[in-house]
């Protein structure tokens, strides 16, 4: 989760903003390292380095020892050059890299990364790689200024090497790369400060051809879409969800998706799967309905007309049985959430459709785009946009910093945690989205709200520990979160 600091008044001019950033950084140091005796600050040649020079001067004025290392002199007549001059005028020095280690010498309490900021767009090269490697080898805590050096501000890609920070203090706008791609693994505890702007907002960088709007969402935003039900609501107008999947050896996937649909508020939920799975799937959950899916039983086809929304794919498999189900369902009209092996079959036989939600993880996305997972992860925004353009509808790219794209807007969700790296989590998400869609939310809204609920439920479940968290652990929290008044009470 993110910490957000209160804004201060903004001094006039760009250098005033740099001074304010340095003051905010100094306050942050006093809050988190109040007893620090030695701080090492590593400055680049741009504005990020300028913030570092201001911070060094302010920390030294408080009587704390500072060692400052500079990649090179700032460009003349820039704000960073002015900050450097003021540091030197205050008696500051620029040390020789790497820091010398002397027995008995005072060890630093904090390392500050003010090397690159948001500047780099391409693979790093030269001395900065050595500096980044040095920072990553230290056991001393690292604070990154604005974002870790070597992290692409927009895509979250690691540009050959990047600083792994314990904390990051970012200014004015949330850079998308902080929240997706490799960003979540590199920023540590992320804190945002507006530096006098009205509020901290997601930085709306141009994506692809510049026609894409970018929105930052989380559960507090999502809950505004979850209005109370009418006092006269009944199961018939709360959505009918049909879930198709559960091939041999995988009945649990379709059961999890169905339970999530129930807990997310669907009025009626029916599973269409292999006859031999009926007892196992329905055991302990009598609220679920059943339709046999097989060559000699076409209940699942007639049930498609009954459904408000269908979920196709959880545990489906790639056997002839699965391929028949897949082809039959995609030949029918009506909204579909396509997941898991439903996506793998789509990669084999590409289709374009306007009324579906696709939910690939990076591996499935790579198959759908006929590229490598590395290419997907290098620019997740571009990948989700390409998927939406090629396949239509709404596309949801899973991962740290899940993205949802409808062709006009990309939503970036910050919820979730590494405990979700276990089987069945994606099945829950498909069920949640289908239930919300079936209850009347617009297709794209159902997708991004579903992602926020899913991630927040996982964050609630993770209070008992991330490792060992099961998909089914999220179910009680899903019910609470689709009822915001109760969730906040």
């Amino acid at each position: 989760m993110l910490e957000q600091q209160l804004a201060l008044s903004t001094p006039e001019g760009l250098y005033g903003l740099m001074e304010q950033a340095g003051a905010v950084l100094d306050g942050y140091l006093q809050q988190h390292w109040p007893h620090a005796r030695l701080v090492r600050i590593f400055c680049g040649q741009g504005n990020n380095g300028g913030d570092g020079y201001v911070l060094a001067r302010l920390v030294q004025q408080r009587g704390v020892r500072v060692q400052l290392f500079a990649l090179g002199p700032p460009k003349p007549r820039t704000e960073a050059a002015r900050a450097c001059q003021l540091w030197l005028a205050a008696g500051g020095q620029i040390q020789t890299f790497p820091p010398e280690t002397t027995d008995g010498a005072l060890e630093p309490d904090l390392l500050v990364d003010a090397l690159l900021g948001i500047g780099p767009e391409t693979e790093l090269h030269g001395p900065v790689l050595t500096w980044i490697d040095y920072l990553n080898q230290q056991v001393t805590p690292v604070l990154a200024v604005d974002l870790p050096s070597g992290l692409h501000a927009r895509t979250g890609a690691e540009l050959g090497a990047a600083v792994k920070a314990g904390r990051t203090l970012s200014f004015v706008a949330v850079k998308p790369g902080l929240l997706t791609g490799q960003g979540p693994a590199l920023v540590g505890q992320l804190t945002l400060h507006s530096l006098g702007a009205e509020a901290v907002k997601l930085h709306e960088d141009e994506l692809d051809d510049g026609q894409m709007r970018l929105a930052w969402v989380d559960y507090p935003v999502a809950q505004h879409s979850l209005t109370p039900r009418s006092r006269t609501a009944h199961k018939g107008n709360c959505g009918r969800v049909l879930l198709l999947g559960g091939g041999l050896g995988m009945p649990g996937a379709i059961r999890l998706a169905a339970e999530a649909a129930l807990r997310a508020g669907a009025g009626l939920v029916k599973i269409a799967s292999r006859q031999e799975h009926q007892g196992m799937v329905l055991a302990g959950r009598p609220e679920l309905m059943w339709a046999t899916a097989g060559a000699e039983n076409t209940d699942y086809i007639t049930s498609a007309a009954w459904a408000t929304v269908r979920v196709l794919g959880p545990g489906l498999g790639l056997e002839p049985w699965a391929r028949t189900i897949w082809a039959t369902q995609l030949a029918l009209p009506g909204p579909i959430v396509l997941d898991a092996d439903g996506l793998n079959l789509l990669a084999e036989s590409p289709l374009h459709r306007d009324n579906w939600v696709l939910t690939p993880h990076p591996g499935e996305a790579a198959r759908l785009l006929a590229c490598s997972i590395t290419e997907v992860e290098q620019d997740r925004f571009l990948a989700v946009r390409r998927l939406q353009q090629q396949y239509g509808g709404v596309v949801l790219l899973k991962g740290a910093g899940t993205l949802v794209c409808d062709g006009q807007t990309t939503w970036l969700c910050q919820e979730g945690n590494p405990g979700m790296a276990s089987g069945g989590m994606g099945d829950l998400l498909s069920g949640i989205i289908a239930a919300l869609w079936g209850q009347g939310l617009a297709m794209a809204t159902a997708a991004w709200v579903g992602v926020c609920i899913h991630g927040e439920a996982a964050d609630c479940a993770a209070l008992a520990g991330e490792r060992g968290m099961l998909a089914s652990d999220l179910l009680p929290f899903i019910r609470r979160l689709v009822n915001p008044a109760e969730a906040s009470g």
Side-chain angles (χ1 to χ4, degrees):
M1 301 298 291
L2 306 181
E3 298 178 320
Q4 292 208 25
Q5 306 284 339
L6 294 175
L8 304 175
S9 60
T10 306
E12 293 183 2
L14 292 177
Y15 183 75
L17 199 63
M18 185 173 287
E19 279 284 338
Q20 187 181 4
V24 170
L25 283 162
D26 186 38
Y28 191 82
L29 263 65
Q30 294 181 60
Q31 177 184 356
H32 294 284
W33 293 275
H35 305 298
R37 296 181 297 165
L38 172 61
V39 177
R40 283 180 179 162
I41 302 176
F42 299 81
C43 293
Q45 296 174 275
N47 287 340
N48 197 243
D51 294 342
Y53 284 114
V54 175
L55 172 64
R57 192 184 80 245
L58 297 176
V59 171
Q60 183 171 267
Q61 287 174 356
R62 291 194 287 110
V64 177
R65 184 179 172 191
V66 175
Q67 293 177 340
L68 186 144
F69 303 83
L71 266 175
K75 293 180 180 180
R77 296 182 296 279
T78 63
E79 286 76 19
R82 181 178 174 185
C84 178
Q85 291 166 1
L86 288 172
W87 161 245
L88 295 174
Q93 298 180 344
I94 297 176
Q95 307 289 324
T96 301
F97 181 86
E100 295 181 1
T101 55
T102 305
D103 290 341
L106 184 64
E107 291 295 323
D109 300 289
L110 175 67
L111 308 177
V112 178
D113 165 26
L115 291 171
L116 299 178
I118 64 173
E121 292 283 337
T122 58
E123 198 90 349
L124 299 178
H125 57 84
V128 70
L129 294 173
T130 302
W131 291 52
I132 289 173
D133 183 62
Y134 169 82
L135 288 169
N136 286 340
Q137 290 183 21
Q138 307 308 303
V139 296
T140 305
V142 176
L143 169 66
V145 177
D146 213 20
L147 79 165
S149 293
L151 177 67
H152 195 290
R154 182 178 65 82
T155 67
E158 186 175 324
L159 298 173
V163 170
K164 185 174 177 60
R167 289 179 176 270
T168 297
L169 178 55
S170 191
F171 300 123
V172 182
V174 187
K175 291 75 183 172
L178 294 168
L179 304 179
T180 194
Q182 294 302 306
L186 296 172
V187 301
Q189 176 65 53
L190 177 59
T191 303
L192 308 174
H193 198 292
S194 66
L195 292 187
E198 182 178 349
V200 176
K201 297 180 180 179
L202 187 67
H203 185 55
E204 296 188 7
D205 280 321
E206 288 189 359
L207 298 179
D208 212 13
D209 61 0
Q211 300 302 308
M212 183 69 68
R213 191 177 75 87
L214 185 56
W216 172 33
V217 293
D218 55 11
Y219 177 71
V221 173
Q223 65 181 350
H224 296 298
S225 297
L226 301 169
T227 56
R229 282 183 172 175
S230 165
R231 295 300 88 191
T232 58
H234 57 81
K235 63 186 179 183
N237 54 31
C238 291
R240 299 180 297 275
V241 177
L242 173 67
L243 303 103
L244 303 106
L248 288 175
M250 295 182 286
I254 202 70
R255 165 70 181 264
L256 285 168
E259 285 213 51
L262 286 171
R263 290 303 187 187
L268 294 167
V269 178
K270 181 184 291 188
I271 289 175
S273 189
R274 305 180 72 102
Q275 181 61 49
E276 52 264 55
H277 290 158
Q278 182 174 4
M280 183 185 302
V281 170
L282 298 184
R285 184 51 65 211
E287 296 88 352
L288 291 172
M289 304 164 67
W290 180 266
T292 299
E296 298 179 359
N297 194 314
T298 58
D299 289 351
Y300 74 98
I301 296 177
T302 56
S303 293
W306 163 89
T308 309
V309 181
R310 289 168 287 157
V311 177
L312 176 58
L316 185 65
L318 300 173
E319 300 298 322
W321 174 85
R323 294 174 183 276
T324 299
I325 301 294
W326 185 86
T328 302
Q329 290 300 309
L330 291 189
L332 299 172
I336 294 178
V337 178
L338 198 63
D339 187 26
D341 283 323
L343 296 167
N344 292 327
L345 290 169
L346 179 63
E348 294 180 11
S349 304
L351 297 169
H352 188 283
R353 188 174 179 132
D354 292 329
N355 64 338
W356 61 6
V357 176
L358 310 183
T359 63
H361 57 56
E364 292 159 346
R367 287 188 281 277
L368 288 165
L369 291 173
C371 67
S372 68
I373 296 175
T374 299
E375 289 176 276
V376 170
E377 291 291 80
Q378 279 295 110
D379 193 337
R380 288 168 52 82
F381 293 96
L382 178 58
V384 76
R385 178 69 181 275
R386 288 180 57 204
L387 285 165
Q388 197 282 328
Q389 290 173 335
Q390 183 171 342
Y391 294 97
V394 172
V395 178
L396 183 160
L397 180 57
K398 299 173 185 173
T402 293
L403 304 176
V404 178
C405 178
D406 69 351
Q408 300 299 319
T409 299
T410 296
W411 291 267
L412 168 57
C413 176
Q414 68 172 68
E415 306 284 5
N417 62 78
M420 301 172 78
S422 64
M425 290 290 176
D427 304 315
L428 294 179
L429 179 57
S430 293
I432 295 169
I433 292 171
L436 296 174
W437 196 0
Q439 290 172 79
L441 291 187
M443 178 171 59
T445 304
W448 70 258
V449 170
V451 169
C452 292
I453 291 171
H454 183 239
E456 179 69 9
D459 288 340
C460 293
L463 294 176
E466 292 178 356
R467 188 175 285 114
M469 187 167 70
L470 304 180
S472 54
D473 294 336
L474 276 60
L475 289 167
F477 299 107
I478 292 170
R479 181 186 179 189
R480 179 159 62 89
L481 293 169
V482 295
N483 295 283
E486 296 176 21
S488 60

